[in-house]
Amino acid sequence: MFTVNNLQAPSSDPLIDGLNDPQREAVLTTEGPVLMLAGAGTGKTAALTRRLAHLVHSRLAWPSEILCVTFTNKAAREMRERVGHLIGPAVEGMPWLGTFHAVAAKMLRRHAELVGLQSNFTIIDTDDQLRLLKQLIQAEGLDEKRWPARQLAGCIDRWKNRGLNPQDLDAGENESYANGKGQKFYKLYQDRLKAVNACDFGDLLLHMLNILRTHRDVLEQYQNRFKYVMVDEYQDTNQVQYLWLRLIAQGRQNICVVGDDDQSIYSWRGAEVANILRFEKDFPGAKVIKLEQNYRSTPQILAAASGLIDENTQRLGKTLWTERHAGDKVQVVGVWDGPEEARRVGDEIERLERQGAPLDQIAILVRAQYQTREFEDRFISIGMKYRIVGGFRFYERAEIRDALAYLRVIAQPADDLAFERIYNAPKRGLGAKALEALHRLARNRGIPLSNAAIEIADTDELPARARNTFLALMRDFARWRDLSATEGPADLLRTVLDECGYTDALQAEKTAEANGRLENLVELARAMEEYDSLGDFLEHVSLVMDNENAAEEEKVTIMTMHGAKGLEFDNVFLPGWEEGVFPSQRSLDEGGLASLEEERRLAYVAITRAKKKCTILHAANRRIYGQWTSSIPSRFIAELPEEHVDSETTLSGGASLWRAQWSEHADPFADVARMQPSRIVTRGPGWQRAAAKEYDASPKRVVESTRSAASFAAKPRSDIAVGARVFHEKFGYGAVMAQEGNKLEIEFEQAGNKRVLDSFVKPA
């Protein structure tokens, strides 16, 4: 008999069969607070689902008396399915098993009136949120280009994740938007949501937290309802989730949280590792059960990962072990530069494939998305099948497609699809009506949209602002087209992104997402430096974009380290382990030692994704934000236990150099690769604007440039002559006073004298 908490369970109990001793203890310890500290690959999901099933099967609680929250719908579905296999139809009676937001929404609909909402409130998505914020910004007379709605949305999301209402913001938080107007706009936004009976996702938890804090009867209702509270991935909880859970669980104290402080890697979206570290203080007498037997990786991989994470000071501590055979040591490979890194990984994957290794069991995990480009290009050249998980392939990302569209219009003005994509990107105030007018003219005249934009700018068909905007854009294209004949593709792209305002627009957002998009554009420019002409590069991109194979085929997985959490692969490659890349220099600059420890946790997560073999790569030279830099190997390499690492490098110094560099006397925040992608261009300030002023931007020059790439003659209509009576859909009836090519001067009966294109009128 196995006895825990005065409960006896026969060894033949199907709910605990196959579990190791700590897992059984976690299942059977039902009373009081429990922290299940589950290391990577230690079977925490099995223990959690068995515990949930045990509570119902043993009749310690009805299914409706258990609150079990997860972070993703996928995790909730998996848990429900697993519990269903164990206890059958009883799982259908578990209404409180779901994600934080799903459970909070169910509660809020029952008490909506307590926060000024009706029970049928609408939950708005990100697009609706941004639209509403833009309306508020415009109504207050604020410059939305300087203070973007997306930046305000990021601030509000951060405040709600921390459980802060508008009145809770301190002076520092208030200053984080529009020079001290953060609190004002937050309140305006909340008031507007209530006026339309709506809330965003952050409100679901924040409103419920406010209700539980201010309505004792509601709090006691849920404290009495839930006999047991269970939480998955507790290390990923943010402040509002933590406060909400703590209030509900303080009643009966029967809370079991499952998590791993060494895998807390989401602080950028509000997660606080401190929540799991202080669990024993929040719930005195809590029992800590450590799941340390790993079922995934070899002893060599586990030892290397454990030695690395031991460098962190903010952790509860555990030692992973496994019964698997020793396996290969973690391999650390030093290469000359980024392209060699991609070649080396490609060659190794081909070797593994020849030996029978399935491609689905091979992964490349990167710190930043821009790193995927080099591997994609290499795999295209060698015919290696791959997939990008958790995001778009490099050339499919929105900002990359925008940049390519600019280049396509430069190379071929007749590319209407490309022109449609960027005529208003970044925002230029050109709406759907302007595009509709262009299409109508282009169809009637049989010309591309680029030519139509030039011709319509010399008429009264559109408001003056739209006409001037189109003309300015086409002048830019004429200048860039001429520049493409003398300047390399990479420098051309940097010029275009700078002068068209795309770089400025991303910088103005001041979000992590925008920074990532800037990094991708920098990487695109870097990739173009390998090509002699714009045409060669665009042809290469076409081949890359056409390489998508059938979904059912085996492919190498390329993804970020963050996205790989929870996954496992036989063979894992970890490129880019250099200072400034990993750990990320931006993280260190913004978060100091706390961010360094999170970066180290991310390294731990990355290594422990490997089941059989883990290969870490670093380059001596790398392009960072468009400039070659001599890279220092990541400090994390020096922190790996030497006895569990095989080092291979042709670089002078080898492993001893890494360890000397990161001795106890080394500056942990050495000024390495501090460049930021603040400007896509790397030349002196203001040179592009000066060049633009010197360029001949006359209408004649613009037309000549466009037609030099694609000639389209503007022939006048034969059925309309001076003196003819005509009709125009916008201006009505009038008489033709003069004719110049396909342009007409018409005296309209109601609108007066206007200059229009002949394709927009018909004989009256």
Side-chain angles (χ1 to χ4, degrees):
M1 304 288 284
F2 188 86
T3 304
V4 178
N5 269 30
N6 299 320
L7 292 176
Q8 291 186 337
S11 59
S12 60
D13 186 341
L15 291 182
I16 60 173
D17 282 351
L19 299 181
N20 59 39
D21 287 350
Q23 288 174 323
R24 289 188 179 196
E25 186 178 8
V27 170
L28 299 176
T29 304
T30 58
E31 306 308 305
V34 175
L35 169 58
M36 197 189 307
L37 198 60
T42 57
K44 61 99 174 174
T45 303
L48 185 63
T49 53
R50 298 287 187 94
R51 188 178 196 275
L52 185 54
H54 172 70
L55 293 175
V56 176
H57 183 70
S58 301
R59 303 197 178 185
L60 293 171
W62 292 106
S64 60
E65 295 176 323
I66 301 173
L67 170 63
C68 182
V69 288
T70 66
F71 273 86
T72 66
N73 288 315
K74 179 182 177 182
R77 286 194 302 270
E78 181 181 352
M79 188 171 297
R80 189 175 292 274
E81 290 172 2
R82 288 199 184 194
V83 174
H85 287 312
L86 294 170
I87 63 175
V91 72
E92 300 303 324
M94 304 187 74
W96 303 105
L97 192 166
T99 65
F100 277 94
H101 289 103
V103 171
K106 187 188 297 287
M107 290 181 175
L108 185 57
R109 293 205 183 275
R110 298 186 177 195
H111 311 285
E113 72 284 353
L114 297 179
V115 288
L117 296 172
Q118 300 174 30
S119 60
N120 63 342
F121 61 81
T122 300
I123 304 173
I124 66 171
D125 59 18
T126 302
D127 288 342
D128 288 335
Q129 181 190 32
L130 291 175
R131 190 177 303 112
L132 175 54
L133 291 174
K134 286 179 181 178
Q135 293 173 1
L136 295 175
I137 292 169
Q138 291 171 1
E140 291 296 313
L142 204 63
D143 183 0
E144 206 266 332
K145 290 185 178 179
R146 182 179 181 188
W147 303 105
R150 195 173 295 276
Q151 180 190 353
L152 178 56
C155 291
I156 291 175
D157 182 61
R158 184 177 73 248
W159 295 330
K160 290 184 178 181
N161 285 341
R162 294 174 56 192
L164 299 176
N165 297 286
Q167 65 271 19
D168 301 325
L169 300 188
D170 59 24
E173 292 293 350
N174 190 34
E175 289 288 334
S176 61
Y177 182 77
N179 296 327
K181 294 183 180 179
Q183 186 179 56
K184 176 182 179 180
F185 276 97
Y186 186 10
K187 186 178 187 305
L188 287 172
Y189 174 65
Q190 293 300 95
D191 290 344
R192 181 57 179 160
L193 285 178
K194 289 183 180 180
V196 297
N197 193 35
C199 64
D200 59 26
F201 281 97
D203 283 325
L204 297 176
L205 281 155
L206 181 61
H207 282 328
M208 273 313 303
L209 177 62
N210 291 333
I211 290 171
L212 296 178
R213 280 172 161 174
T214 57
H215 295 82
R216 184 70 187 178
D217 57 327
V218 178
L219 175 60
E220 291 177 350
Q221 173 187 335
Y222 286 109
Q223 287 180 337
N224 293 329
R225 172 189 291 272
F226 298 127
K227 290 185 177 179
Y228 297 95
V229 176
M230 298 177 64
V231 189
D232 193 15
E233 303 287 5
Y234 191 68
Q235 79 281 346
D236 292 333
T237 53
N238 59 34
Q239 186 72 359
V240 71
Q241 292 164 340
Y242 160 78
L243 295 171
W244 177 76
L245 282 167
R246 192 179 66 173
L247 279 174
I248 293 174
Q250 286 292 351
R252 296 177 180 267
Q253 299 273 311
N254 289 335
I255 178 172
C256 174
V257 302
V258 184
D260 182 4
D261 54 322
D262 291 334
Q263 296 189 72
S264 179
I265 57 174
Y266 297 119
S267 67
W268 47 274
R269 67 184 189 195
E272 296 191 17
V273 68
N275 294 344
I276 193 171
L277 296 178
R278 66 187 175 206
F279 182 81
E280 293 177 86
K281 293 182 179 178
D282 290 335
F283 297 94
K287 186 174 186 60
V288 179
I289 301 173
K290 296 183 180 181
L291 304 189
E292 298 175 306
Q293 183 176 356
N294 180 280
Y295 296 95
R296 174 189 299 156
S297 305
T298 64
Q300 298 280 16
I301 292 172
L302 290 182
S306 296
L308 174 63
I309 200 64
D310 279 345
E311 297 292 326
N312 273 5
T313 58
Q314 298 298 310
R315 61 189 299 258
L316 297 172
K318 59 188 171 303
T319 303
L320 297 185
W321 61 277
T322 181
E323 294 178 344
R324 297 186 63 186
H325 65 86
D328 295 332
K329 294 182 178 182
V330 171
Q331 188 174 21
V332 176
V333 179
V335 296
W336 177 250
D337 58 14
E340 183 184 346
E341 180 181 65
R343 289 194 298 271
R344 177 63 184 261
V345 171
D347 291 347
E348 182 63 16
I349 292 176
E350 286 185 313
R351 185 186 68 79
L352 290 170
E353 188 178 24
R354 288 193 299 271
Q355 293 177 351
L359 293 182
D360 282 347
Q361 283 299 312
I362 300 174
I364 300 171
L365 308 183
V366 298
R367 175 61 181 88
Q369 286 192 340
Y370 72 84
Q371 293 175 257
T372 68
R373 200 278 310 166
E374 220 149 42
F375 293 99
E376 291 186 67
D377 283 357
R378 179 60 184 170
F379 289 176
I380 291 297
S381 68
I382 64 176
M384 179 66 64
K385 300 166 188 173
Y386 71 92
R387 66 165 65 86
I388 301 292
V389 176
F392 296 105
R393 293 186 299 169
F394 184 81
Y395 292 107
E396 292 177 344
R397 291 167 184 145
E399 64 276 9
I400 301 300
R401 293 179 75 97
D402 287 346
L404 293 175
Y406 273 100
L407 298 176
R408 284 165 55 189
V409 174
I410 291 171
Q412 176 50 271
D415 192 336
D416 284 356
L417 292 177
F419 185 85
E420 274 190 57
R421 183 176 183 92
I422 51 81
Y423 82 101
N424 197 38
K427 299 294 184 183
R428 298 186 175 91
L430 297 172
K433 290 184 177 179
L435 183 61
E436 181 183 349
L438 280 192
H439 271 296
R440 187 164 64 250
L441 173 60
R443 284 195 303 270
N444 291 337
R445 296 268 293 107
I447 59 177
L449 292 177
S450 294
N451 290 69
I454 296 172
E455 295 196 7
I456 207 168
D458 196 29
T459 74
D460 295 319
E461 299 291 346
L462 294 174
R465 180 179 178 183
R467 297 199 307 269
N468 292 335
T469 300
F470 270 130
L471 184 57
L473 178 61
M474 299 319 296
R475 283 174 173 166
D476 284 340
F477 270 113
R479 182 176 65 259
W480 299 331
R481 194 166 291 119
D482 285 356
L483 193 62
S484 68
T486 59
E487 192 157 276
D491 286 337
L492 174 66
L493 175 66
R494 295 182 181 114
T495 299
V496 170
L497 294 176
D498 230 17
E499 292 185 358
C500 78
Y502 206 98
T503 304
D504 290 335
L506 287 178
Q507 286 177 323
E509 288 187 20
K510 299 178 182 178
T511 64
E513 179 186 359
N515 286 333
R517 295 175 69 185
L518 280 169
E519 289 175 348
N520 289 337
L521 290 171
V522 171
E523 178 61 21
L524 176 64
R526 198 202 68 72
M528 295 178 68
E529 293 180 351
E530 302 171 13
Y531 295 85
D532 295 328
S533 71
L534 179 58
D536 289 344
F537 176 72
L538 292 176
E539 182 177 338
H540 165 75
V541 172
S542 297
L543 295 174
V544 173
M545 298 288 280
D546 191 45
N547 190 60
E548 182 63 17
N549 298 298
E552 63 272 11
E553 289 186 312
E554 286 187 358
K555 301 175 186 177
V556 176
T557 297
I558 306 176
M559 65 192 308
T560 65
M561 296 175 181
H562 284 97
K565 186 172 176 291
L567 303 179
E568 57 185 40
F569 304 89
D570 286 345
N571 297 278
V572 171
F573 294 89
L574 305 176
W577 279 44
E578 303 113 32
E579 289 296 305
V581 178
F582 188 51
S584 160
Q585 192 63 50
R586 179 181 291 113
S587 294
L588 299 187
D589 290 343
E590 294 177 356
L593 286 172
S595 288
L596 173 60
E597 295 216 343
E598 178 158 330
E599 291 285 288
R600 189 176 285 111
R601 292 195 293 269
L602 186 57
Y604 171 82
V605 167
I607 293 173
T608 55
R609 298 312 94 193
K611 296 162 65 176
K612 296 179 179 178
K613 187 171 181 60
C614 178
T615 302
I616 296 170
L617 300 101
H618 65 94
N621 304 279
R622 191 177 294 276
R623 288 271 193 175
I624 299 179
Y625 307 132
Q627 296 184 10
W628 278 108
T629 63
S630 296
S631 301
I632 299 175
S634 170
R635 68 194 74 194
F636 299 152
I637 292 177
E639 293 169 357
L640 294 170
E642 292 187 58
E643 62 271 24
H644 300 292
V645 173
D646 272 336
S647 302
E648 176 188 341
T649 178
T650 58
L651 309 174
S652 64
S656 61
L657 174 65
W658 312 335
R659 303 185 191 283
Q661 176 68 42
W662 298 113
S663 68
E664 61 179 345
H665 303 295
D667 176 9
F669 297 99
D671 188 15
V672 178
R674 286 190 178 274
M675 292 175 291
Q676 298 293 329
S678 56
R679 306 300 294 179
I680 299 298
V681 72
T682 58
R683 282 174 272 195
W687 75 270
Q688 303 94 334
R689 307 301 176 193
K693 291 179 181 178
E694 296 170 2
Y695 183 78
D696 177 7
S698 64
K700 179 181 179 182
R701 180 69 195 91
V702 174
V703 173
E704 287 175 353
S705 171
T706 302
R707 288 180 179 168
S708 67
S711 179
F712 299 92
K715 299 179 180 179
R717 287 174 58 174
S718 60
D719 59 339
I720 294 178
V722 174
R725 182 174 167 80
V726 295
F727 175 78
H728 188 283
E729 289 186 1
K730 180 178 180 181
F731 302 127
Y733 292 96
V736 178
M737 306 302 294
Q739 184 176 22
E740 180 185 348
N742 66 324
K743 297 182 178 66
L744 304 174
E745 184 178 337
I746 301 175
E747 184 69 30
F748 289 99
E749 296 173 1
Q750 301 295 328
N753 190 276
K754 298 290 183 182
R755 186 174 172 85
V756 302
L757 297 172
D758 59 12
S759 58
F760 282 85
V761 301
K762 57 184 178 181

